[in-house]
Amino acid sequence: MANPAAEIFLAACARLGLPPTQVLHVGDDLHLDVVAARAAGLHSAWITRTDAVWHQPQSPDFGVRDLHELADSLDVIGHVGTASQQLAYSLLE
């Protein structure tokens, strides 16, 4: 099983013990990350380090330019748990 199969996302959610609606998948590939995660019922964040334009019918929940902006966005939206924020910040170190 490989990305973008919905089963891989659902298996990750099951391993986390969370329903897909409470999981944010972050990726830089429009199809393999964002579209596939949304199709599996997860929230998605698109990391685009360029000025790429979104051309899909279903858009990500939000877009960021780098992991620093992701961490800041997690602080602002406030609906993710402290553990998720700590994970995002640990990726920056």
Side-chain angles (χ1 to χ4, degrees), residues 36-86:
R38 295 294 301 252
L42 284 74
H43 294 280
S44 64
W46 181 35
I47 295 181
T48 175
R49 294 172 180 91
T50 66
D51 291 326
V53 178
W54 184 259
H55 292 292
Q56 299 292 327
Q58 191 175 37
S59 62
D61 292 290
F62 60 94
V64 295
R65 294 188 64 83
D66 56 39
L67 293 176
H68 292 283
E69 191 174 338
L70 172 64
D72 291 343
S73 295
L74 293 176
D75 280 341
V76 170
I77 61 176
H79 74 272
V80 293
T82 304
S84 298
Q85 291 173 334
Q86 289 173 351

